[in-house]
Amino acid sequence: MNVVKEIQRINEYELSRSDYTESASWHAQYKDTAWIFAGNLPFDLTEGDVICIFSQYGEIMNIELIRDKSTGKSKGFAFLQYEDQRSTVLAVDNLNGSKVLDRTLRVDHSWGPKPRRVKKGDEWVEEPYIPTNNAAPKLIEVKSGGGGSRSERDEKPSDNDDLDAEDPMAAYFRDKKRKKKKKEKHHHRDERKKRRRHRHHDDDDY
Protein backbone atom coordinates (compact mmCIF):
# COMPACT_ATOMS: atom_id res chain seq x y z
CA MET A 1 0.00 0.00 0.00
CA ASN A 2 2.91 2.35 0.70
CA VAL A 3 4.19 1.91 -2.87
CA VAL A 4 0.73 2.68 -4.26
CA LYS A 5 0.54 5.92 -2.28
CA GLU A 6 4.10 6.90 -3.22
CA ILE A 7 3.38 6.53 -6.94
CA GLN A 8 0.22 8.60 -6.54
CA ARG A 9 2.14 11.26 -4.62
CA ILE A 10 4.83 11.52 -7.32
CA ASN A 11 2.22 11.80 -10.07
CA GLU A 12 0.32 14.53 -8.21
CA TYR A 13 3.57 16.43 -7.62
CA GLU A 14 4.50 16.30 -11.30
CA LEU A 15 1.04 17.53 -12.34
CA SER A 16 1.33 20.48 -9.97
CA ARG A 17 4.66 21.61 -11.42
CA SER A 18 4.48 24.49 -13.88
CA ASP A 19 7.82 23.53 -15.46
CA TYR A 20 6.76 19.89 -16.04
CA THR A 21 8.17 18.23 -19.17
CA GLU A 22 7.80 14.66 -20.37
CA SER A 23 11.57 14.13 -20.46
CA ALA A 24 11.87 15.20 -16.81
CA SER A 25 9.12 12.86 -15.64
CA TRP A 26 9.94 9.90 -13.43
CA HIS A 27 8.42 7.70 -16.16
CA ALA A 28 11.32 8.62 -18.48
CA GLN A 29 13.73 6.25 -16.70
CA TYR A 30 11.55 3.37 -17.98
CA LYS A 31 11.45 4.53 -21.61
CA ASP A 32 13.28 1.37 -22.72
CA THR A 33 10.83 -1.13 -21.25
CA ALA A 34 7.23 -1.84 -22.21
CA TRP A 35 6.61 -4.05 -19.17
CA ILE A 36 4.51 -3.24 -16.12
CA PHE A 37 3.97 -4.99 -12.81
CA ALA A 38 0.40 -5.52 -11.59
CA GLY A 39 0.08 -6.50 -7.95
CA ASN A 40 -2.68 -7.20 -5.41
CA LEU A 41 -4.87 -8.72 -8.13
CA PRO A 42 -7.96 -10.67 -7.04
CA PHE A 43 -6.96 -14.33 -6.95
CA ASP A 44 -9.92 -15.44 -9.07
CA LEU A 45 -8.83 -13.38 -12.10
CA THR A 46 -7.55 -15.30 -15.12
CA GLU A 47 -5.08 -14.08 -17.73
CA GLY A 48 -8.01 -13.05 -19.91
CA ASP A 49 -9.56 -11.03 -17.08
CA VAL A 50 -6.29 -9.17 -16.45
CA ILE A 51 -5.90 -8.44 -20.16
CA CYS A 52 -9.44 -7.02 -20.28
CA ILE A 53 -8.59 -4.59 -17.47
CA PHE A 54 -5.23 -3.42 -18.80
CA SER A 55 -5.87 -3.47 -22.56
CA GLN A 56 -7.93 -0.27 -22.29
CA TYR A 57 -4.60 1.58 -22.40
CA GLY A 58 -2.99 -0.31 -25.28
CA GLU A 59 -2.51 -3.66 -26.96
CA ILE A 60 -0.91 -6.24 -24.69
CA MET A 61 1.64 -8.58 -26.25
CA ASN A 62 2.62 -10.76 -23.28
CA ILE A 63 1.24 -11.63 -19.88
CA GLU A 64 2.78 -13.69 -17.11
CA LEU A 65 0.26 -14.29 -14.35
CA ILE A 66 2.35 -15.84 -11.60
CA ARG A 67 0.81 -19.07 -10.34
CA ASP A 68 1.66 -21.55 -7.61
CA LYS A 69 3.59 -24.42 -9.20
CA SER A 70 1.86 -27.10 -7.16
CA THR A 71 -1.75 -25.85 -7.19
CA GLY A 72 -1.81 -23.70 -10.32
CA LYS A 73 -3.65 -20.95 -8.44
CA SER A 74 -2.85 -17.30 -9.03
CA LYS A 75 -0.52 -15.61 -6.55
CA GLY A 76 -2.21 -12.27 -7.16
CA PHE A 77 0.40 -10.53 -9.30
CA ALA A 78 1.41 -10.46 -12.95
CA PHE A 79 3.78 -8.94 -15.49
CA LEU A 80 2.36 -7.46 -18.69
CA GLN A 81 4.12 -6.21 -21.81
CA TYR A 82 2.49 -3.60 -24.03
CA GLU A 83 3.08 -3.19 -27.75
CA ASP A 84 3.79 0.53 -27.22
CA GLN A 85 5.89 1.71 -24.28
CA ARG A 86 3.73 4.83 -23.92
CA SER A 87 0.86 2.59 -22.84
CA THR A 88 2.79 1.73 -19.68
CA VAL A 89 2.67 5.36 -18.56
CA LEU A 90 -1.10 5.48 -19.04
CA ALA A 91 -1.59 2.19 -17.20
CA VAL A 92 0.59 3.20 -14.24
CA ASP A 93 -0.99 6.65 -13.94
CA ASN A 94 -4.59 5.47 -14.25
CA LEU A 95 -4.73 1.99 -12.75
CA ASN A 96 -2.37 2.29 -9.79
CA GLY A 97 -4.55 2.68 -6.71
CA SER A 98 -7.75 1.68 -8.51
CA LYS A 99 -9.99 -1.00 -7.02
CA VAL A 100 -10.99 -4.32 -8.58
CA LEU A 101 -13.30 -6.55 -6.51
CA ASP A 102 -12.46 -4.53 -3.39
CA ARG A 103 -8.71 -4.97 -3.85
CA THR A 104 -6.48 -1.93 -4.42
CA LEU A 105 -4.21 -2.54 -7.40
CA ARG A 106 -0.53 -1.74 -7.36
CA VAL A 107 0.64 -0.93 -10.88
CA ASP A 108 4.24 0.06 -11.55
CA HIS A 109 6.83 0.02 -14.29
CA SER A 110 8.89 -3.15 -14.62
CA TRP A 111 11.74 -4.71 -16.57
CA GLY A 112 9.77 -7.91 -17.03
CA PRO A 113 9.76 -11.29 -15.28
CA LYS A 114 12.97 -12.33 -13.59
CA PRO A 115 15.16 -15.07 -15.11
CA ARG A 116 13.94 -18.56 -14.27
CA ARG A 117 16.13 -20.94 -12.31
CA VAL A 118 16.41 -24.30 -14.04
CA LYS A 119 18.32 -27.28 -12.71
CA LYS A 120 20.80 -28.69 -15.21
CA GLY A 121 22.65 -31.66 -13.81
CA ASP A 122 23.76 -30.75 -10.32
CA GLU A 123 23.65 -26.99 -10.86
CA TRP A 124 20.91 -24.37 -10.92
CA VAL A 125 21.16 -22.11 -13.96
CA GLU A 126 19.30 -18.86 -14.63
CA GLU A 127 17.55 -18.75 -18.01
CA PRO A 128 16.47 -15.32 -19.26
CA TYR A 129 12.74 -14.86 -19.83
CA ILE A 130 11.84 -15.00 -23.53
CA PRO A 131 8.54 -13.30 -24.46
CA THR A 132 6.22 -15.57 -26.43
CA ASN A 133 3.61 -13.02 -27.59
CA ASN A 134 1.06 -15.13 -25.74
CA ALA A 135 -1.45 -12.27 -25.56
CA ALA A 136 -1.04 -10.93 -29.10
CA PRO A 137 -3.63 -11.81 -31.77
CA LYS A 138 -2.61 -15.01 -33.53
CA LEU A 139 -2.00 -14.94 -37.25
CA ILE A 140 -4.38 -17.01 -39.37
CA GLU A 141 -2.55 -19.07 -41.97
CA VAL A 142 -4.19 -19.33 -45.41
CA LYS A 143 -3.08 -21.20 -48.49
CA SER A 144 -1.54 -19.09 -51.22
CA GLY A 145 -1.84 -19.70 -54.93
CA GLY A 146 1.70 -21.09 -55.12
CA GLY A 147 0.95 -23.93 -52.73
CA GLY A 148 2.67 -22.30 -49.75
CA SER A 149 1.02 -20.56 -46.85
CA ARG A 150 0.91 -16.97 -45.80
CA SER A 151 -0.74 -14.91 -43.11
CA GLU A 152 -3.97 -13.08 -43.81
CA ARG A 153 -2.14 -9.96 -42.65
CA ASP A 154 0.21 -10.37 -45.64
CA GLU A 155 -2.57 -10.42 -48.24
CA LYS A 156 -2.73 -7.70 -50.83
CA PRO A 157 -4.68 -4.58 -49.80
CA SER A 158 -7.11 -5.27 -52.65
CA ASP A 159 -8.07 -8.54 -50.97
CA ASN A 160 -8.59 -6.98 -47.56
CA ASP A 161 -9.98 -3.60 -48.61
CA ASP A 162 -11.06 -1.99 -45.33
CA LEU A 163 -11.58 -5.24 -43.40
CA ASP A 164 -9.92 -5.74 -40.05
CA ALA A 165 -7.96 -9.01 -40.15
CA GLU A 166 -8.62 -9.51 -36.42
CA ASP A 167 -12.41 -9.23 -36.83
CA PRO A 168 -14.02 -12.70 -36.48
CA MET A 169 -16.37 -11.80 -39.34
CA ALA A 170 -13.56 -10.64 -41.63
CA ALA A 171 -13.10 -14.09 -43.20
CA TYR A 172 -16.85 -14.31 -43.93
CA PHE A 173 -17.00 -10.91 -45.63
CA ARG A 174 -13.75 -11.59 -47.51
CA ASP A 175 -15.15 -14.85 -48.85
CA LYS A 176 -18.37 -13.09 -49.79
CA LYS A 177 -16.44 -10.44 -51.72
CA ARG A 178 -14.42 -13.06 -53.57
CA LYS A 179 -17.57 -14.94 -54.57
CA LYS A 180 -19.08 -11.68 -55.80
CA LYS A 181 -15.96 -10.91 -57.86
CA LYS A 182 -15.98 -14.45 -59.25
CA LYS A 183 -19.65 -14.11 -60.19
CA GLU A 184 -19.00 -10.76 -61.87
CA LYS A 185 -16.07 -12.28 -63.75
CA HIS A 186 -18.27 -15.09 -65.06
CA HIS A 187 -20.95 -12.54 -65.99
CA HIS A 188 -18.48 -10.45 -68.00
CA ARG A 189 -17.17 -13.59 -69.72
CA ASP A 190 -20.72 -14.61 -70.69
CA GLU A 191 -21.35 -11.11 -72.02
CA ARG A 192 -18.21 -11.32 -74.17
CA LYS A 193 -19.35 -14.69 -75.53
CA LYS A 194 -22.77 -13.22 -76.42
CA ARG A 195 -21.16 -10.28 -78.22
CA ARG A 196 -18.94 -12.64 -80.19
CA ARG A 197 -21.96 -14.76 -81.20
CA HIS A 198 -23.80 -11.64 -82.32
CA ARG A 199 -20.82 -10.55 -84.42
CA HIS A 200 -20.64 -13.96 -86.07
CA HIS A 201 -24.38 -13.87 -86.74
CA ASP A 202 -24.11 -10.42 -88.33
CA ASP A 203 -21.23 -11.61 -90.53
CA ASP A 204 -23.34 -14.55 -91.76
CA ASP A 205 -26.12 -12.15 -92.80
CA TYR A 206 -23.70 -10.43 -95.16
Side-chain angles (χ1 to χ4, degrees):
M1 187 60 71
N2 290 336
V3 177
V4 173
K5 290 182 178 179
E6 180 63 15
I7 293 174
Q8 291 175 332
R9 186 192 67 77
I10 295 173
N11 283 336
E12 289 173 3
Y13 170 70
E14 286 191 346
L15 290 173
S16 66
R17 290 175 55 186
S18 58
D19 60 340
Y20 170 80
T21 59
E22 188 175 343
S23 60
S25 170
W26 73 279
H27 294 291
Q29 61 185 302
Y30 299 101
K31 63 182 177 62
D32 295 324
T33 175
W35 287 92
I36 62 168
F37 169 85
N40 206 32
L41 297 168
F43 297 107
D44 292 335
L45 295 186
T46 65
E47 284 84 353
D49 296 328
V50 178
I51 289 174
C52 285
I53 296 170
F54 287 85
S55 62
Q56 60 185 305
Y57 296 109
E59 184 170 333
I60 295 171
M61 306 300 290
N62 294 284
I63 178 171
E64 285 293 328
L65 180 61
I66 308 305
R67 295 179 177 275
D68 186 277
K69 290 183 179 179
S70 57
T71 65
K73 292 183 178 180
S74 167
K75 288 189 174 183
F77 65 97
F79 295 91
L80 298 95
Q81 183 187 33
Y82 281 99
E83 182 182 32
D84 190 328
Q85 187 276 337
R86 291 172 293 185
S87 296
T88 66
V89 178
L90 293 172
V92 171
D93 283 350
N94 291 282
L95 290 176
N96 178 66
S98 61
K99 284 196 173 184
V100 175
L101 298 177
D102 293 327
R103 291 177 69 88
T104 303
L105 300 186
R106 174 194 163 188
V107 182
D108 199 354
H109 292 283
S110 171
W111 295 98
K114 294 180 179 179
R116 295 173 178 173
R117 290 174 58 82
V118 180
K119 192 171 185 178
K120 292 186 176 180
D122 296 329
E123 296 183 357
W124 286 91
V125 182
E126 285 191 348
E127 288 188 346
Y129 174 79
I130 301 176
T132 57
N133 282 358
N134 60 3
K138 293 184 178 179
L139 301 181
I140 302 173
E141 295 295 327
V142 294
K143 294 293 181 181
S144 63
S149 63
R150 69 179 188 277
S151 164
E152 284 189 355
R153 289 184 175 181
D154 297 331
E155 288 185 5
K156 295 179 181 179
S158 58
D159 292 335
N160 280 332
D161 293 329
D162 57 348
L163 296 178
D164 184 354
E166 297 174 15
D167 187 342
M169 293 297 290
Y172 167 77
F173 287 115
R174 189 178 295 109
D175 186 54
K176 193 173 181 180
K177 281 190 176 185
R178 286 173 181 166
K179 286 180 179 179
K180 184 179 179 182
K181 288 180 181 179
K182 190 175 181 181
K183 187 176 180 181
E184 290 175 352
K185 187 177 180 181
H186 284 301
H187 175 73
H188 292 316
R189 188 168 60 189
D190 292 340
E191 286 293 322
R192 287 197 296 271
K193 285 182 180 179
K194 286 181 181 179
R195 285 197 293 269
R196 283 200 295 269
R197 282 201 298 269
H198 281 300
R199 283 200 297 271
H200 287 310
H201 180 70
D202 293 338
D203 291 341
D204 291 340
D205 288 341
Y206 287 108

PDB file of all heavy atoms in Angstrom, residues 185-202:
ATOM      1  N   LYS A 185     -17.011 -11.849 -62.717  1.00  0.00           N
ATOM      2  CA  LYS A 185     -16.069 -12.275 -63.749  1.00  0.00           C
ATOM      3  C   LYS A 185     -16.754 -13.212 -64.739  1.00  0.00           C
ATOM      4  O   LYS A 185     -16.596 -13.083 -65.958  1.00  0.00           O
ATOM      5  CB  LYS A 185     -14.871 -12.963 -63.089  1.00  0.00           C
ATOM      6  CG  LYS A 185     -13.755 -13.300 -64.055  1.00  0.00           C
ATOM      7  CD  LYS A 185     -12.590 -13.911 -63.302  1.00  0.00           C
ATOM      8  CE  LYS A 185     -11.448 -14.268 -64.240  1.00  0.00           C
ATOM      9  NZ  LYS A 185     -10.321 -14.887 -63.504  1.00  0.00           N
ATOM     10  N   HIS A 186     -17.539 -14.167 -64.192  1.00  0.00           N
ATOM     11  CA  HIS A 186     -18.270 -15.086 -65.064  1.00  0.00           C
ATOM     12  C   HIS A 186     -19.304 -14.338 -65.889  1.00  0.00           C
ATOM     13  O   HIS A 186     -19.522 -14.637 -67.063  1.00  0.00           O
ATOM     14  CB  HIS A 186     -18.962 -16.168 -64.224  1.00  0.00           C
ATOM     15  CG  HIS A 186     -18.026 -17.219 -63.721  1.00  0.00           C
ATOM     16  ND1 HIS A 186     -17.267 -17.994 -64.564  1.00  0.00           N
ATOM     17  CD2 HIS A 186     -17.719 -17.627 -62.461  1.00  0.00           C
ATOM     18  CE1 HIS A 186     -16.532 -18.843 -63.850  1.00  0.00           C
ATOM     19  NE2 HIS A 186     -16.782 -18.627 -62.572  1.00  0.00           N
ATOM     20  N   HIS A 187     -19.945 -13.320 -65.286  1.00  0.00           N
ATOM     21  CA  HIS A 187     -20.951 -12.542 -65.992  1.00  0.00           C
ATOM     22  C   HIS A 187     -20.331 -11.809 -67.175  1.00  0.00           C
ATOM     23  O   HIS A 187     -20.872 -11.807 -68.283  1.00  0.00           O
ATOM     24  CB  HIS A 187     -21.599 -11.553 -65.018  1.00  0.00           C
ATOM     25  CG  HIS A 187     -22.577 -10.621 -65.679  1.00  0.00           C
ATOM     26  ND1 HIS A 187     -23.816 -11.036 -66.119  1.00  0.00           N
ATOM     27  CD2 HIS A 187     -22.480  -9.297 -65.986  1.00  0.00           C
ATOM     28  CE1 HIS A 187     -24.451 -10.017 -66.660  1.00  0.00           C
ATOM     29  NE2 HIS A 187     -23.663  -8.950 -66.580  1.00  0.00           N
ATOM     30  N   HIS A 188     -19.159 -11.169 -66.924  1.00  0.00           N
ATOM     31  CA  HIS A 188     -18.478 -10.454 -68.004  1.00  0.00           C
ATOM     32  C   HIS A 188     -18.037 -11.411 -69.105  1.00  0.00           C
ATOM     33  O   HIS A 188     -18.087 -11.077 -70.299  1.00  0.00           O
ATOM     34  CB  HIS A 188     -17.257  -9.696 -67.440  1.00  0.00           C
ATOM     35  CG  HIS A 188     -17.639  -8.563 -66.543  1.00  0.00           C
ATOM     36  ND1 HIS A 188     -18.640  -7.672 -66.838  1.00  0.00           N
ATOM     37  CD2 HIS A 188     -17.148  -8.175 -65.326  1.00  0.00           C
ATOM     38  CE1 HIS A 188     -18.759  -6.782 -65.887  1.00  0.00           C
ATOM     39  NE2 HIS A 188     -17.868  -7.070 -64.937  1.00  0.00           N
ATOM     40  N   ARG A 189     -17.599 -12.610 -68.725  1.00  0.00           N
ATOM     41  CA  ARG A 189     -17.173 -13.592 -69.719  1.00  0.00           C
ATOM     42  C   ARG A 189     -18.351 -14.039 -70.574  1.00  0.00           C
ATOM     43  O   ARG A 189     -18.241 -14.181 -71.796  1.00  0.00           O
ATOM     44  CB  ARG A 189     -16.530 -14.791 -69.021  1.00  0.00           C
ATOM     45  CG  ARG A 189     -15.890 -15.784 -69.980  1.00  0.00           C
ATOM     46  CD  ARG A 189     -15.038 -16.783 -69.236  1.00  0.00           C
ATOM     47  NE  ARG A 189     -15.836 -17.536 -68.282  1.00  0.00           N
ATOM     48  CZ  ARG A 189     -15.313 -18.354 -67.370  1.00  0.00           C
ATOM     49  NH1 ARG A 189     -14.005 -18.489 -67.270  1.00  0.00           N
ATOM     50  NH2 ARG A 189     -16.107 -19.015 -66.545  1.00  0.00           N
ATOM     51  N   ASP A 190     -19.521 -14.237 -69.938  1.00  0.00           N
ATOM     52  CA  ASP A 190     -20.721 -14.610 -70.688  1.00  0.00           C
ATOM     53  C   ASP A 190     -21.141 -13.497 -71.639  1.00  0.00           C
ATOM     54  O   ASP A 190     -21.593 -13.760 -72.757  1.00  0.00           O
ATOM     55  CB  ASP A 190     -21.860 -14.937 -69.723  1.00  0.00           C
ATOM     56  CG  ASP A 190     -21.597 -16.206 -68.926  1.00  0.00           C
ATOM     57  OD1 ASP A 190     -20.756 -17.008 -69.396  1.00  0.00           O
ATOM     58  OD2 ASP A 190     -22.214 -16.384 -67.854  1.00  0.00           O
ATOM     59  N   GLU A 191     -20.998 -12.241 -71.172  1.00  0.00           N
ATOM     60  CA  GLU A 191     -21.354 -11.111 -72.018  1.00  0.00           C
ATOM     61  C   GLU A 191     -20.447 -11.047 -73.243  1.00  0.00           C
ATOM     62  O   GLU A 191     -20.896 -10.761 -74.363  1.00  0.00           O
ATOM     63  CB  GLU A 191     -21.234  -9.800 -71.218  1.00  0.00           C
ATOM     64  CG  GLU A 191     -22.350  -9.578 -70.210  1.00  0.00           C
ATOM     65  CD  GLU A 191     -23.685  -9.364 -70.895  1.00  0.00           C
ATOM     66  OE1 GLU A 191     -23.720  -8.711 -71.946  1.00  0.00           O
ATOM     67  OE2 GLU A 191     -24.688  -9.888 -70.384  1.00  0.00           O
ATOM     68  N   ARG A 192     -19.152 -11.330 -73.038  1.00  0.00           N
ATOM     69  CA  ARG A 192     -18.210 -11.319 -74.174  1.00  0.00           C
ATOM     70  C   ARG A 192     -18.561 -12.413 -75.179  1.00  0.00           C
ATOM     71  O   ARG A 192     -18.479 -12.232 -76.392  1.00  0.00           O
ATOM     72  CB  ARG A 192     -16.768 -11.502 -73.660  1.00  0.00           C
ATOM     73  CG  ARG A 192     -16.214 -10.286 -72.954  1.00  0.00           C
ATOM     74  CD  ARG A 192     -14.700 -10.364 -72.841  1.00  0.00           C
ATOM     75  NE  ARG A 192     -14.289 -11.486 -72.002  1.00  0.00           N
ATOM     76  CZ  ARG A 192     -14.129 -11.395 -70.687  1.00  0.00           C
ATOM     77  NH1 ARG A 192     -14.368 -10.239 -70.069  1.00  0.00           N
ATOM     78  NH2 ARG A 192     -13.759 -12.436 -69.986  1.00  0.00           N
ATOM     79  N   LYS A 193     -18.951 -13.583 -74.645  1.00  0.00           N
ATOM     80  CA  LYS A 193     -19.351 -14.685 -75.530  1.00  0.00           C
ATOM     81  C   LYS A 193     -20.580 -14.317 -76.344  1.00  0.00           C
ATOM     82  O   LYS A 193     -20.665 -14.609 -77.542  1.00  0.00           O
ATOM     83  CB  LYS A 193     -19.640 -15.945 -74.706  1.00  0.00           C
ATOM     84  CG  LYS A 193     -18.405 -16.640 -74.189  1.00  0.00           C
ATOM     85  CD  LYS A 193     -18.785 -17.896 -73.438  1.00  0.00           C
ATOM     86  CE  LYS A 193     -17.543 -18.619 -72.912  1.00  0.00           C
ATOM     87  NZ  LYS A 193     -17.911 -19.836 -72.157  1.00  0.00           N
ATOM     88  N   LYS A 194     -21.564 -13.647 -75.707  1.00  0.00           N
ATOM     89  CA  LYS A 194     -22.769 -13.221 -76.417  1.00  0.00           C
ATOM     90  C   LYS A 194     -22.442 -12.239 -77.523  1.00  0.00           C
ATOM     91  O   LYS A 194     -22.981 -12.318 -78.631  1.00  0.00           O
ATOM     92  CB  LYS A 194     -23.752 -12.587 -75.422  1.00  0.00           C
ATOM     93  CG  LYS A 194     -24.454 -13.579 -74.520  1.00  0.00           C
ATOM     94  CD  LYS A 194     -25.412 -12.851 -73.587  1.00  0.00           C
ATOM     95  CE  LYS A 194     -26.092 -13.849 -72.655  1.00  0.00           C
ATOM     96  NZ  LYS A 194     -27.020 -13.162 -71.711  1.00  0.00           N
ATOM     97  N   ARG A 195     -21.525 -11.272 -77.209  1.00  0.00           N
ATOM     98  CA  ARG A 195     -21.156 -10.282 -78.224  1.00  0.00           C
ATOM     99  C   ARG A 195     -20.468 -10.939 -79.417  1.00  0.00           C
ATOM    100  O   ARG A 195     -20.675 -10.562 -80.571  1.00  0.00           O
ATOM    101  CB  ARG A 195     -20.251  -9.208 -77.591  1.00  0.00           C
ATOM    102  CG  ARG A 195     -21.006  -8.227 -76.699  1.00  0.00           C
ATOM    103  CD  ARG A 195     -20.181  -6.984 -76.446  1.00  0.00           C
ATOM    104  NE  ARG A 195     -19.009  -7.266 -75.645  1.00  0.00           N
ATOM    105  CZ  ARG A 195     -18.987  -7.201 -74.318  1.00  0.00           C
ATOM    106  NH1 ARG A 195     -20.104  -6.878 -73.670  1.00  0.00           N
ATOM    107  NH2 ARG A 195     -17.900  -7.452 -73.649  1.00  0.00           N
ATOM    108  N   ARG A 196     -19.616 -11.946 -79.095  1.00  0.00           N
ATOM    109  CA  ARG A 196     -18.937 -12.644 -80.192  1.00  0.00           C
ATOM    110  C   ARG A 196     -19.936 -13.394 -81.069  1.00  0.00           C
ATOM    111  O   ARG A 196     -19.819 -13.419 -82.293  1.00  0.00           O
ATOM    112  CB  ARG A 196     -17.888 -13.612 -79.620  1.00  0.00           C
ATOM    113  CG  ARG A 196     -16.608 -12.934 -79.158  1.00  0.00           C
ATOM    114  CD  ARG A 196     -15.469 -13.928 -79.072  1.00  0.00           C
ATOM    115  NE  ARG A 196     -15.719 -14.927 -78.034  1.00  0.00           N
ATOM    116  CZ  ARG A 196     -15.314 -14.792 -76.769  1.00  0.00           C
ATOM    117  NH1 ARG A 196     -14.678 -13.693 -76.394  1.00  0.00           N
ATOM    118  NH2 ARG A 196     -15.565 -15.743 -75.894  1.00  0.00           N
ATOM    119  N   ARG A 197     -20.946 -14.035 -80.432  1.00  0.00           N
ATOM    120  CA  ARG A 197     -21.958 -14.762 -81.197  1.00  0.00           C
ATOM    121  C   ARG A 197     -22.758 -13.816 -82.086  1.00  0.00           C
ATOM    122  O   ARG A 197     -23.075 -14.121 -83.235  1.00  0.00           O
ATOM    123  CB  ARG A 197     -22.899 -15.506 -80.227  1.00  0.00           C
ATOM    124  CG  ARG A 197     -22.307 -16.797 -79.668  1.00  0.00           C
ATOM    125  CD  ARG A 197     -23.397 -17.720 -79.155  1.00  0.00           C
ATOM    126  NE  ARG A 197     -24.154 -17.119 -78.059  1.00  0.00           N
ATOM    127  CZ  ARG A 197     -23.827 -17.270 -76.778  1.00  0.00           C
ATOM    128  NH1 ARG A 197     -22.774 -17.990 -76.443  1.00  0.00           N
ATOM    129  NH2 ARG A 197     -24.555 -16.697 -75.842  1.00  0.00           N
ATOM    130  N   HIS A 198     -23.058 -12.620 -81.530  1.00  0.00           N
ATOM    131  CA  HIS A 198     -23.799 -11.636 -82.321  1.00  0.00           C
ATOM    132  C   HIS A 198     -22.985 -11.178 -83.529  1.00  0.00           C
ATOM    133  O   HIS A 198     -23.519 -11.003 -84.629  1.00  0.00           O
ATOM    134  CB  HIS A 198     -24.173 -10.428 -81.448  1.00  0.00           C
ATOM    135  CG  HIS A 198     -25.359 -10.687 -80.555  1.00  0.00           C
ATOM    136  ND1 HIS A 198     -26.598 -11.026 -81.038  1.00  0.00           N
ATOM    137  CD2 HIS A 198     -25.482 -10.662 -79.197  1.00  0.00           C
ATOM    138  CE1 HIS A 198     -27.450 -11.198 -80.038  1.00  0.00           C
ATOM    139  NE2 HIS A 198     -26.786 -10.995 -78.895  1.00  0.00           N
ATOM    140  N   ARG A 199     -21.672 -10.982 -83.302  1.00  0.00           N
ATOM    141  CA  ARG A 199     -20.820 -10.553 -84.418  1.00  0.00           C
ATOM    142  C   ARG A 199     -20.783 -11.610 -85.505  1.00  0.00           C
ATOM    143  O   ARG A 199     -20.851 -11.312 -86.700  1.00  0.00           O
ATOM    144  CB  ARG A 199     -19.394 -10.251 -83.903  1.00  0.00           C
ATOM    145  CG  ARG A 199     -19.295  -8.906 -83.181  1.00  0.00           C
ATOM    146  CD  ARG A 199     -17.857  -8.438 -83.138  1.00  0.00           C
ATOM    147  NE  ARG A 199     -17.008  -9.365 -82.376  1.00  0.00           N
ATOM    148  CZ  ARG A 199     -16.805  -9.281 -81.098  1.00  0.00           C
ATOM    149  NH1 ARG A 199     -17.391  -8.328 -80.376  1.00  0.00           N
ATOM    150  NH2 ARG A 199     -16.032 -10.145 -80.476  1.00  0.00           N
ATOM    151  N   HIS A 200     -20.657 -12.870 -85.101  1.00  0.00           N
ATOM    152  CA  HIS A 200     -20.637 -13.963 -86.072  1.00  0.00           C
ATOM    153  C   HIS A 200     -21.960 -14.047 -86.824  1.00  0.00           C
ATOM    154  O   HIS A 200     -22.015 -14.280 -88.048  1.00  0.00           O
ATOM    155  CB  HIS A 200     -20.363 -15.304 -85.365  1.00  0.00           C
ATOM    156  CG  HIS A 200     -18.956 -15.446 -84.923  1.00  0.00           C
ATOM    157  ND1 HIS A 200     -17.876 -15.227 -85.746  1.00  0.00           N
ATOM    158  CD2 HIS A 200     -18.426 -15.795 -83.695  1.00  0.00           C
ATOM    159  CE1 HIS A 200     -16.754 -15.413 -85.073  1.00  0.00           C
ATOM    160  NE2 HIS A 200     -17.068 -15.762 -83.816  1.00  0.00           N
ATOM    161  N   HIS A 201     -23.060 -13.823 -86.130  1.00  0.00           N
ATOM    162  CA  HIS A 201     -24.382 -13.875 -86.744  1.00  0.00           C
ATOM    163  C   HIS A 201     -24.538 -12.749 -87.775  1.00  0.00           C
ATOM    164  O   HIS A 201     -25.070 -12.954 -88.879  1.00  0.00           O
ATOM    165  CB  HIS A 201     -25.466 -13.733 -85.661  1.00  0.00           C
ATOM    166  CG  HIS A 201     -26.860 -13.774 -86.211  1.00  0.00           C
ATOM    167  ND1 HIS A 201     -27.433 -14.919 -86.733  1.00  0.00           N
ATOM    168  CD2 HIS A 201     -27.789 -12.780 -86.310  1.00  0.00           C
ATOM    169  CE1 HIS A 201     -28.659 -14.660 -87.151  1.00  0.00           C
ATOM    170  NE2 HIS A 201     -28.892 -13.346 -86.897  1.00  0.00           N
ATOM    171  N   ASP A 202     -24.039 -11.556 -87.395  1.00  0.00           N
ATOM    172  CA  ASP A 202     -24.114 -10.423 -88.326  1.00  0.00           C
ATOM    173  C   ASP A 202     -23.255 -10.669 -89.559  1.00  0.00           C
ATOM    174  O   ASP A 202     -23.635 -10.323 -90.684  1.00  0.00           O
ATOM    175  CB  ASP A 202     -23.644  -9.131 -87.629  1.00  0.00           C
ATOM    176  CG  ASP A 202     -24.614  -8.712 -86.507  1.00  0.00           C
ATOM    177  OD1 ASP A 202     -25.784  -9.159 -86.577  1.00  0.00           O
ATOM    178  OD2 ASP A 202     -24.195  -7.969 -85.594  1.00  0.00           O
TER     179      ASP A 202
END
